[in-house]
Amino acid sequence: MKFKKNNKIILFLALFAVFFIWSCTSHQSQIQKTPQPPSASPPSSEEQTMSQGAVEEEASIETKEEIKLKENIVSSEETSITQAKTQDPSELLEEALDAYQDARISWDKGDLETALAALDEAYKIILQIDLPQDSPLIQDKNDLRLLIAKRIQEIYASRLTVVNGNNKTIPLTENKFVKEEIKRFQTNERKYFEQSYMRSGLYREMILKEMEKAGLPEQLSWIPLIESGFKVRALSRARALGLWQFISSTGYRFGLKKDQWVDERMDPVKSTKAAIQYLTELHSLFGDWTTALAAYNCGEFKVQKVIRTQRINYLDNFWDLYTMLPRETARFVPRFIAALLIINDPEKYGMNLPQPESSLRHETVIVNRPVKLSTLSESLGLNKDLLEILNPELRHKSTPDREYPLKVPVGHEEKTLAAINSLSRWIPPETTYVIHYVRRGETLSTIAKRYRSSVSSIARLNQLRSLHLIRPGQRLKIPAQGMSYASSSSTLKLVKDGEKLVYIVKRGDSLYWIASAFNTSVKQIKQMNNLKTDILSIGQKLIIQSGKPEGASLYTVKSGDTPYDIAKKFGISLDTLLKLNGLSIRSKIYPGQKLWIKN
């Protein structure tokens, strides 16, 4: 019985399995087939082919729709690019500027991510602007590009910011580091501190005005007390120079020029403006004045390196950073704070500060020939050091061999012009030179003769190993030392040709000497005469001045007239009169001569 019962169970399971398999097969068949009307007979081969074609056609329709959609997207992108290219460049620049302004607003709010996104958009717009080479918008495009790059740099740098400091004041923390510096000023460096404070009166009024214009804390005006002791010619072991102690590269970076005659790092006004630019940039970079001051003294890269090497993203206090900076270079900050504390309350620290010197008042006169300042001071009846104090940027304590705004005491403008024209031209002790590019066929001998120099002088200045081996295109310095400037300028005379002033070239002349004699430039002479090269020929006529000067009229020289008298009579400067008429400082005038004067 048990066996029969088991057989029945097995038979039931087998029938159930057959039914289940048949059911699944039937369902799958229904899915694969297209709907067909009920029929007892299976579909023919023709019907099966038609069904497959319908499925393929449906799939094909879907693929075409997808392709069309993609084509529309690409077409839309191409249209957008085409529209950007055809859009007015000035409009694109406006859009880029708007995006840049949005970035500034976000930056001020502290939303750095939005600021970066806006800057990315601004730069993207700029890249779409295609301008011809002669477009007046090129400069605007480049300026905006630089602004965007600078702002991006500031944003990334701000992520390394030490603290969020106050923009208007510098925290006067009196910690152990500051107290050490106060003690030094009270003892070993007391004399230095008092003398520096006294000298500050010469320049601090000017510095405060520039600080106020820039919106910087007035406390920063005391930086020169620590940097240079308010000595405009102070020179450090690191070759930093001037009130604000700029090295050459940093000075150049902020517009301070240096050449044979002038070093603007010693110019109080120009170096102050450069220092303000530098301090503003550092504050923007680090976010607080204390860190900016450390960077001013030891360099922003050194401070950034210390911040980057920290395991945390910020430092809660500047003095945590201070302890990781090189002690000798970072001492500037506590010394500066110590100086501010003493100046704010000298009695508290046992100091009796002297009265600051008075600032020097001056006016400016344009001079155009080199003379010693001491000689000029003597001829004006001034203290021999006064002009040197007013013009500390002049390296040789003499005016340059070009136009220069010389500072003179108030009321001495006309006297200076008259005196400077009566003084002999001063030649600096070190060799001055002009640049000459060797042309095919030239030798050192012909070059020396042309510039009234000597072969040995040229060879020595250029460190030439051979006197015979020079090549076309070679750059040579031609020494000007020992040349007779005065005699050459006095012998060069202009000929009036209608409303033109013409010079006739003589043997040995060069464009450099002619330009020097008539207070003009080689470039201007070449432009007026359509000259392609510097080569001149004897007897060649060169136009020095052409046409009636704007706002000028003619004056006929009378017996006894001097250029100074004529300039004074018509209320113009002597320098202006000489320039109008193409006269050199040594030129003579004669009765009946026609001179241009300003009305």
Side-chain angles (χ1 to χ4, degrees):
M1 292 294 292
K2 188 174 181 181
F3 177 75
K4 290 182 179 179
K5 187 177 181 180
N6 289 340
N7 286 343
K8 288 180 180 179
I9 293 171
I10 292 169
L11 180 61
F12 176 79
L13 291 174
L15 289 172
F16 179 81
V18 170
F19 176 80
F20 178 79
I21 293 169
W22 175 83
S23 176
C24 291
T25 306
S26 175
H27 180 68
Q28 186 176 5
S29 175
Q30 290 296 323
I31 292 174
Q32 291 177 347
K33 291 180 181 179
T34 53
Q36 297 289 336
S39 175
S41 61
S44 66
S45 60
E46 183 178 350
E47 289 173 337
Q48 289 180 356
T49 304
M50 290 176 65
S51 175
Q52 291 174 359
V55 173
E56 290 175 359
E57 185 179 355
E58 184 178 351
S60 176
I61 291 171
E62 291 176 355
T63 306
K64 288 177 181 178
E65 288 178 352
E66 290 176 358
I67 292 171
K68 188 174 181 180
L69 180 61
K70 291 178 181 178
E71 288 176 348
N72 289 338
I73 293 171
V74 173
S75 176
S76 176
E77 291 177 351
E78 289 177 348
T79 302
S80 176
I81 294 170
T82 304
Q83 288 175 350
K85 288 183 177 180
T86 57
Q87 190 174 350
D88 186 352
S90 59
E91 292 179 3
L92 286 172
L93 277 173
E94 287 294 330
E95 289 182 20
L97 185 59
D98 289 342
Y100 174 76
Q101 296 295 351
D102 292 341
R104 292 197 62 179
I105 294 170
S106 298
W107 161 264
D108 292 337
K109 292 178 180 178
D111 187 354
L112 303 188
E113 296 304 322
T114 302
L116 281 173
L119 290 170
D120 287 342
E121 179 63 24
Y123 204 81
K124 180 181 177 182
I125 295 171
I126 282 181
L127 291 177
Q128 296 174 4
I129 302 174
D130 188 14
L131 297 172
Q133 292 184 351
D134 58 347
S135 173
L137 296 177
I138 287 179
Q139 187 62 50
D140 294 334
K141 178 182 176 181
N142 290 336
D143 288 345
L144 186 53
R145 179 183 292 167
L146 289 173
L147 282 173
I148 293 169
K150 185 176 181 181
R151 184 64 63 183
I152 290 173
Q153 181 189 21
E154 289 174 349
I155 289 175
Y156 278 105
S158 70
R159 294 177 174 179
L160 302 174
T161 296
V162 181
V163 291
N164 291 320
N166 191 310
N167 288 339
K168 296 301 179 184
T169 59
I170 298 166
L172 303 183
T173 306
E174 194 170 352
N175 55 26
K176 64 176 183 179
F177 306 114
V178 174
K179 288 178 180 178
E180 287 175 7
E181 300 303 333
I182 290 175
K183 187 174 181 179
R184 288 191 178 93
F185 287 142
Q186 291 171 325
T187 55
N188 299 342
E189 299 183 49
R190 189 185 190 105
K191 185 176 180 181
Y192 164 83
F193 189 93
E194 291 175 347
Q195 290 180 345
S196 300
Y197 181 83
M198 187 166 60
R199 278 191 297 269
S200 69
L202 294 171
Y203 310 106
R204 193 162 174 270
E205 182 181 343
M206 174 272 296
I207 295 173
L208 281 172
K209 288 180 181 178
E210 296 297 332
M211 293 280 180
E212 186 178 356
K213 288 180 189 176
L216 299 189
E218 68 174 32
Q219 295 162 301
L220 298 174
S221 64
W222 290 109
I223 288 178
L225 187 145
I226 306 301
E227 286 283 15
S228 63
F230 279 100
K231 293 180 180 179
V232 288
R233 288 181 175 266
L235 180 66
S236 73
R237 287 179 297 177
R239 308 301 294 173
L241 183 63
L243 282 179
W244 298 91
Q245 290 291 278
F246 279 104
I247 59 174
S248 294
S249 58
T250 309
Y252 180 79
R253 173 179 160 193
F254 291 99
L256 298 178
K257 299 175 183 176
K258 177 185 175 183
D259 61 22
Q260 176 199 355
W261 300 91
V262 176
D263 192 332
E264 291 181 346
R265 291 180 294 169
M266 295 184 289
D267 186 310
V269 178
K270 291 181 179 179
S271 64
T272 295
K273 291 179 179 179
I276 287 173
Q277 289 182 53
Y278 190 22
L279 287 165
T280 302
E281 183 177 296
L282 290 172
H283 183 264
S284 177
L285 194 62
F286 293 105
D288 76 298
W289 281 118
T290 317
T291 314
L293 288 169
Y296 182 89
N297 184 258
C298 65
E300 61 264 43
F301 300 111
K302 189 172 290 185
V303 175
Q304 283 179 320
K305 183 179 179 182
V306 171
I307 296 174
R308 281 197 199 98
T309 54
Q310 302 313 300
R311 294 182 179 179
I312 53 177
N313 292 328
Y314 64 91
L315 296 167
D316 291 329
N317 192 291
F318 162 77
W319 297 103
D320 296 332
L321 170 66
Y322 170 79
T323 57
M324 290 176 280
L325 290 170
R327 171 72 171 149
E328 288 305 312
T329 55
R331 271 185 61 203
F332 174 81
V333 175
R335 282 174 67 79
F336 179 69
I337 293 175
L340 291 180
L341 289 169
I342 293 173
I343 291 168
N344 290 343
D345 192 355
E347 292 184 6
K348 176 182 175 180
Y349 299 99
M351 301 283 282
N352 184 19
L353 300 180
Q355 183 68 27
E357 296 182 33
S358 301
S359 59
L360 298 172
R361 307 296 175 185
H362 67 270
E363 58 187 5
T364 302
V365 56
I366 303 299
V367 299
N368 54 10
R369 63 198 303 265
V371 296
K372 286 293 287 182
L373 295 182
S374 57
T375 306
L376 181 58
S377 294
E378 185 179 349
S379 66
L380 294 174
L382 301 173
N383 182 299
K384 68 174 184 177
D385 299 326
L386 183 55
L387 291 181
E388 294 177 10
I389 295 172
L390 287 173
N391 302 275
E393 70 279 5
L394 296 174
R395 299 178 65 188
H396 300 296
K397 299 182 180 180
S398 80
T399 55
D401 63 347
R402 59 176 184 269
E403 283 194 357
Y404 193 79
L406 183 70
K407 302 180 195 73
V408 298
V410 176
H412 285 72
E413 181 180 0
E414 292 295 334
K415 293 178 183 177
T416 301
L417 282 173
I420 206 167
N421 290 322
S422 64
L423 298 175
S424 59
R425 190 175 183 122
W426 182 78
I427 300 174
E430 59 187 60
T431 304
T432 61
Y433 58 85
V434 295
I435 300 299
H436 175 82
Y437 288 90
V438 179
R439 289 187 282 270
R440 189 175 300 278
E442 286 186 327
T443 64
L444 282 181
S445 178
T446 59
I447 294 171
K449 184 177 180 181
R450 177 180 177 186
Y451 288 97
R452 302 176 187 177
S453 183
S454 67
V455 171
S456 59
S457 297
I458 296 174
R460 185 167 54 252
L461 183 59
N462 293 275
Q463 299 180 346
L464 299 179
R465 295 182 180 180
S466 171
L467 301 182
H468 307 290
L469 296 177
I470 59 173
R471 64 184 186 280
Q474 185 175 352
R475 182 179 184 270
L476 292 179
K477 297 176 182 178
I478 311 300
Q481 187 176 16
M483 297 184 183
S484 178
Y485 287 82
S487 61
S488 64
S489 63
S490 63
T491 57
L492 300 184
K493 295 181 180 179
L494 294 173
V495 177
K496 208 164 186 64
D497 184 4
E499 290 190 344
K500 297 178 181 178
L501 293 176
V502 176
Y503 174 73
I504 301 175
V505 178
K506 298 178 179 60
R507 184 180 298 278
D509 282 339
S510 70
L511 282 177
Y512 172 77
W513 290 116
I514 296 171
S516 299
F518 296 115
N519 305 314
T520 184
S521 66
V522 171
K523 182 179 179 181
Q524 187 173 351
I525 293 177
K526 290 177 74 171
Q527 286 177 345
M528 294 184 68
N529 293 273
N530 297 319
L531 299 179
K532 303 297 182 184
T533 69
D534 293 345
I535 300 175
L536 301 175
S537 56
I538 298 173
Q540 181 179 357
K541 291 184 178 181
L542 294 178
I543 300 171
I544 305 299
Q545 179 180 298
S546 179
K548 175 184 175 181
E550 185 179 353
S553 59
L554 283 173
Y555 170 76
T556 304
V557 177
K558 298 177 178 58
S559 179
D561 276 345
T562 66
Y564 176 74
D565 292 333
I566 297 171
K568 187 176 181 180
K569 179 179 179 180
F570 289 97
I572 60 176
S573 69
L574 178 60
D575 185 54
T576 300
L577 179 69
L578 295 175
K579 282 186 176 180
L580 281 172
N581 294 277
L583 299 175
S584 68
I585 295 168
R586 294 289 186 179
S587 295
K588 304 295 183 182
I589 60 174
Y590 51 86
Q593 184 177 358
K594 303 289 186 180
L595 296 179
W596 293 114
I597 58 158
K598 283 281 188 182
N599 296 328

